[in-house]
Amino acid sequence: MKFETMVYCPNCKENFPGDLTSCPKCNYDFNGHEAGKEDKWPAIGMISDRTSADYARETLLSYNVPCVVFSGSGYLGNAGLSMPSFTGKVTAKYVVHVPAEHREEAENILTMILGDGWEKIADKD
């Protein structure tokens, strides 16, 4: 049985998989210091369905690219149903975050495995 390492962020009160040194959501430094204003874990892309988001996460991890995928599918989180909206417009429900130093590699991997199945978020720089 494989156990995944989890870290807890005391600032945003969430658990994250992996051996992280800072929170990918609020940039809280787990060594006890607030992170600077720079975004150490920027959002790099949005994915509309859970299957693709899970596939993207596992593929990035297999390439040793740390990542966190946040679900925006409502109060049910990842358990929410992936149904089309009433407007007929598909909205992205999953946001992919990676450390800033892995951004380019992660974008290339997502393009390779998902093609047009993900939406790139522009770099703030």
Side-chain angles (χ1 to χ4, degrees):
M1 178 180 274
K2 180 181 174 187
F3 292 100
E4 189 169 359
T5 304
M6 297 290 288
V7 293
Y8 173 76
C9 177
N11 192 42
C12 63
K13 313 282 191 260
E14 292 195 38
N15 290 302
F16 299 99
D19 188 19
L20 307 174
T21 57
S22 65
C23 178
K25 187 171 185 178
C26 69
N27 289 328
Y28 181 83
D29 184 355
F30 295 137
N31 294 323
H33 306 94
E34 289 283 341
K37 293 191 189 263
E38 74 277 358
D39 193 359
K40 291 184 178 183
W41 284 72
I44 64 161
M46 297 184 295
I47 301 172
S48 62
D49 66 280
R50 181 178 176 181
T51 303
S52 296
D54 288 344
Y55 178 56
R57 180 181 176 276
E58 292 302 318
T59 303
L60 289 170
L61 292 174
S62 74
Y63 278 88
N64 295 318
V65 175
C67 71
V68 175
V69 178
F70 290 108
S71 170
S73 60
Y75 71 93
L76 293 175
N78 286 340
L81 298 174
S82 296
M83 299 176 70
S85 70
F86 295 109
T87 63
K89 185 178 181 183
V90 177
T91 57
K93 297 181 182 131
Y94 301 90
V95 181
V96 180
H97 293 260
V98 299
E101 62 269 16
H102 291 279
R103 182 184 187 105
E104 184 178 351
E105 179 183 10
E107 289 173 348
N108 291 336
I109 292 168
L110 291 177
T111 299
M112 178 181 68
I113 64 169
L114 298 177
D116 293 335
W118 74 291
E119 181 182 337
K120 181 179 175 180
I121 296 174
D123 194 355
K124 293 179 183 177
D125 289 341

